[in-house]
Amino acid sequence: MIKQSFNRKLHLGAQLVKCTGLAGDGFLVYNRAMADHASANPLSYRYPHPAVTVDCVIFGLDGQSLKVLLNRRDLVPFRDAWALPGGFIGIDEGLEDAARRVLQAETGVHDLYLEQLYSFGTPDRDPRERVITIAYYAIVNLFDHPVGKAAPSCASQEAGWFAMDRLPALAFDHSAIIETALARLQAKIRYQPIGFGFLPRKFTLTQLQKLYEAILCTSLDKRNFRKKILSTGLLVPLDEMEMDVAHRAAKLYRFDDRLYGELRQRGFNFAV
């Protein structure tokens, strides 16, 4: 009976969570259900529980600019401020499941590269209560999956892509989360081929170089870059050229995922 009552309250809170991120009434119902459960269950811990959220840094490459997806909040706290997509984790939901739910809602794409980044738990990071967030970063291919003028979620009034060097003031500690995500991306792109997730399946060497330059925030020597990237043996030249371009059409390549998987099992180190 106790369990059924708890589940009914939790279900009500969960329905509100979907559109409020546990703000307002949904937040109160959820907390009340958890408190009732704790008082009725002798096995429950007797100390305050922090709330747990996920926040997602969604990177995309628009031409030559590295961008991040942001939402303008429609709820307190920080109403009207820009923030990362995210939300509270359901009581029966795994961390990555919650992150992928957020990604699906914000981008409509299922198969994004997703990696857990870091946990952020400064006691005063959220004025509502003690909230610990698990941050993830994701890579979306805007060539094949144009998110375009991103659709706002239930808890936001507007969504949009922002260049990394033109970010607005952000809610909570989301500026620190984005800085951490960018540092991870810059480090990892040098030793794992995750950068190809930004590009279409067929790309030019110029597109690939501009990708690395945008992420690393530096200019790269064209000759040295091409020599190094081609020496990996992971780029397959295609019998195709660029189409409908104003400049001289360049040769197209594709990344050999299968070969990389085989080489990696044998200890191959991708380095650029």
Side-chain angles (χ1 to χ4, degrees):
M1 187 68 180
I2 293 173
K3 183 176 181 181
Q4 290 178 345
S5 175
F6 168 69
N7 286 340
R8 282 197 298 271
K9 292 179 180 179
L10 198 57
H11 176 72
L12 175 59
Q15 296 307 307
L16 291 166
V17 166
K18 290 181 180 179
C19 279
T20 68
L22 284 182
D25 292 339
F27 187 72
L28 295 175
V29 169
Y30 182 88
N31 274 350
R32 192 178 301 119
M34 292 302 294
D36 290 348
H37 177 62
S39 62
N41 186 351
L43 298 180
S44 295
Y45 293 109
R46 300 296 181 178
Y47 56 82
H49 297 156
V52 184
T53 62
V54 291
D55 285 303
C56 297
V57 183
I58 306 174
F59 288 118
L61 188 72
D62 182 10
Q64 300 181 25
S65 176
L66 181 65
K67 295 191 172 183
V68 65
L69 183 64
L70 299 175
N71 286 336
R72 188 190 291 275
R73 289 177 57 80
D74 198 30
L75 300 169
V76 294
F78 300 107
R79 186 189 296 273
D80 296 325
W82 290 95
L84 291 170
F88 285 80
I89 298 171
I91 194 66
D92 294 319
E93 191 175 32
L95 295 178
E96 186 168 322
D97 291 336
R100 291 199 177 277
R101 168 174 54 81
V102 170
L103 291 176
Q104 171 64 24
E106 298 293 340
T107 68
V109 183
H110 296 279
D111 55 346
L112 295 181
Y113 176 88
L114 176 69
E115 181 180 330
Q116 190 176 123
L117 176 65
Y118 198 70
S119 57
F120 294 80
T122 303
D124 60 353
R125 63 175 302 276
D126 191 319
R128 289 170 292 189
E129 69 162 0
R130 183 80 163 92
V131 178
I132 296 171
T133 194
I134 312 300
Y136 285 79
Y137 76 98
I139 293 173
V140 60
N141 175 352
L142 295 180
F143 293 92
D144 295 338
H145 304 292
V147 178
K149 192 177 181 180
S153 64
C154 303
S156 66
Q157 53 183 299
E158 185 181 356
W161 290 93
F162 289 82
M164 288 296 298
D165 58 353
R166 296 182 181 179
L167 295 180
L170 299 177
F172 305 105
D173 53 357
H174 290 184
S175 292
I177 295 176
I178 291 177
E179 289 177 7
T180 304
L182 178 60
R184 172 75 65 85
L185 179 63
Q186 289 174 331
K188 197 155 192 176
I189 199 174
R190 292 182 178 275
Y191 66 88
Q192 281 192 18
I194 61 173
F196 292 97
F198 287 102
L199 298 175
R201 181 174 176 275
K202 302 174 183 179
F203 54 86
T204 67
L205 294 180
T206 297
Q207 285 179 305
L208 183 58
Q209 180 172 340
K210 288 181 178 179
L211 159 69
Y212 274 83
E213 290 177 336
I215 293 175
L216 298 175
C217 302
T218 189
S219 297
L220 300 173
D221 180 77
K222 178 179 177 180
R223 182 178 178 182
N224 289 338
F225 176 80
R226 295 191 174 196
K227 180 180 179 181
K228 197 165 189 177
I229 200 72
L230 290 174
S231 69
T232 64
L234 295 172
L235 298 191
V236 179
L238 305 175
D239 293 327
E240 300 178 48
M241 306 292 285
E242 280 183 299
M243 301 288 291
D244 302 321
V245 291
H247 53 79
R248 181 181 177 182
K251 190 176 185 63
L252 294 174
Y253 293 78
R254 70 172 178 83
F255 178 71
D256 195 333
D257 291 280
R258 181 191 59 80
L259 178 59
Y260 174 67
E262 293 175 357
L263 292 175
R264 188 178 182 185
Q265 289 182 347
R266 300 203 297 264
F268 173 77
N269 181 35
F270 179 87
V272 175

